[in-house]
Amino acid sequence: MAQIPLPSAAAAEHPEFDLDRNDETRQIVADVAYRQLFNVVFVGFEGAGDGNWVLVDAGIPGSARAIRSAAGARFGGHGRPACIIMTHAHFDHVGALETLANEWDVPVYSHHAEHPYLDGTRSYPPANPSVGGGLLALLSPLFPTSPVNVASRLYDLPADHSVPFMQDWRWIHTPGHTPGHVSLWRERDRVLIAGDAFITTRQESVYAAVTQTPEMHGPPMYFTPDWASAKASVRELAALAPEIVITGHGAAMQGPAMRSALDTLAERFDEVAVPSQQRGS
C-alpha cells in the first residue's frame, strides 16, 4: 500500500545539539524531547528538577531503566515527573507504566474511554495480521492486548481539555486507533504530540520500523479497529496546521513539507491509510 513520502529536510531533530547533552533524548524544542523507538516524550526544561516535568506515554516493555536514566540525566534530582499522561494504552506505550508510576508515586491521566485498558478490566481486540503487508503485521497476533493495572493512580483528563502540569497544552480526543486515544496540542508554537493517531513511518514493516524511513502514515493498521473515527481524527489534526509533529512511531517532523503530507493523508485517507478489506465498511 503506497504511503506518502517525507523528505529528509522535514526532519525536526537537531542531532548536532543532542550530542552536547547526556540524556540520550532527541530534543525538538527547548522543553520537549523524546526517545525514538521507546515511545516516550519528555515535556519540561532541562534541569527542571523533580515534579517539574511530565512523561507522555510509558514506553515499550523493558524500557523502564532507559526512561528512568534519561529522565534523571535530563531533569536532575531523582528524575521524578509530576505525572504521566497516556495517549493510549497499547502494549508499546504502557510497557513501563506500572513500574514507573509505582516507583515515582505519581498520578496517571488518560481519556475516560481508555480507563478499562489501564485499570485491568478490559483487553483490546486482537490484532489483525492480514493488513499492511509487513512482517510486524504478520507477527501482531503475538503482541500483548491484556490491560495493565494502575487503577489506584488513574484519573480522567480534565473536562476543560487542559493537560495537568502542562501549561498552554490541551488534549484532543482522537479516537480510531483506540477508543480513548488523545493527542496533545500547544497552539503558541504549534507543536503536536500525536500519539498513534498518525505516524511517520510504516510500522507494519520491520525494516521501516527499525530504519524509521520517513513517510506520512495512518495509525498502525494491525491495531486500528475503527477506521471512520481514525479518519475524522486525522482530519481534525491536519486542520490545526501543526509546525512540528511528534508521533508514537517514526521521527519528529516539521514545516511545510510535513503539513503538505499530513493534508494529503487527511484528503486521501481511505485510499492511503485504510486496508482494502475495510474500505467502505
Side-chain angles (χ1 to χ4, degrees):
M1 183 177 295
Q3 296 292 329
I4 303 161
L6 283 163
S8 58
E13 299 174 0
H14 309 283
E16 66 276 16
F17 300 122
D18 292 339
L19 292 174
D20 294 334
R21 302 192 319 278
N22 191 36
D23 60 14
E24 299 186 16
T25 67
R26 300 185 180 193
Q27 183 168 297
I28 305 306
V29 296
D31 62 341
V32 180
Y34 75 113
R35 281 292 301 266
Q36 196 175 21
L37 303 180
F38 283 88
N39 299 345
V40 291
V41 182
F42 303 89
V43 180
F45 290 100
E46 286 185 80
D50 290 333
N52 294 311
W53 65 280
V54 172
L55 181 69
V56 179
D57 288 343
I60 60 175
S63 64
R65 172 182 281 186
I67 296 170
R68 188 188 303 117
S69 174
R74 181 168 180 82
F75 301 109
H78 297 288
R80 179 181 178 272
C83 69
I84 301 172
I85 307 290
M86 298 304 304
T87 66
H88 64 298
H90 278 150
F91 81 101
D92 52 344
H93 291 255
V94 300
L97 181 61
E98 290 176 302
T99 297
L100 293 177
N102 290 330
E103 179 180 306
W104 285 332
D105 188 23
V106 295
V108 177
Y109 291 89
S110 80
H111 190 281
H112 186 74
E114 207 71 5
H115 279 211
Y117 313 107
L118 291 162
D119 66 11
T121 60
R122 186 183 304 167
S123 295
Y124 283 115
N128 182 353
S130 69
V131 297
L135 182 57
L136 279 181
L138 292 174
L139 294 175
S140 62
L142 302 176
F143 299 161
T145 58
S146 56
V148 296
N149 189 350
V150 290
S152 64
R153 304 183 184 280
L154 187 59
Y155 298 88
D156 284 344
L157 285 164
D160 65 0
H161 288 256
S162 63
V163 183
F165 305 102
M166 288 174 60
Q167 186 176 4
D168 297 332
W169 291 83
R170 68 183 179 94
W171 64 266
I172 302 169
H173 187 205
T174 48
H177 187 54
T178 71
H181 190 287
V182 298
S183 302
L184 308 180
W185 169 246
R186 186 164 65 182
E187 175 71 27
R188 62 175 169 82
D189 55 2
R190 312 190 75 77
V191 175
L192 174 66
I193 300 173
D196 286 1
F198 64 87
I199 57 177
T200 57
T201 192
R202 184 187 172 209
Q203 188 60 24
E204 296 82 18
S205 161
V206 170
Y207 177 80
V210 171
T211 63
Q212 300 289 279
T213 303
E215 61 179 43
M216 188 62 69
H217 196 292
M221 295 178 186
Y222 48 80
F223 264 161
T224 300
D226 181 355
W227 287 102
S229 294
K231 177 181 179 178
S233 294
V234 167
R235 289 187 165 181
E236 181 174 3
L237 296 179
L240 296 173
E243 177 60 28
I244 297 172
V245 299
I246 303 171
T247 66
H249 305 278
M253 293 285 160
Q254 66 181 353
M258 174 276 293
R259 283 192 295 277
S260 177
L262 181 55
D263 287 342
T264 299
L265 177 65
E267 293 166 5
R268 298 174 52 205
F269 190 86
D270 290 337
E271 172 191 349
V272 172
V274 180
S276 58
Q277 63 267 47
Q278 297 292 325
R279 296 174 193 167
S281 63

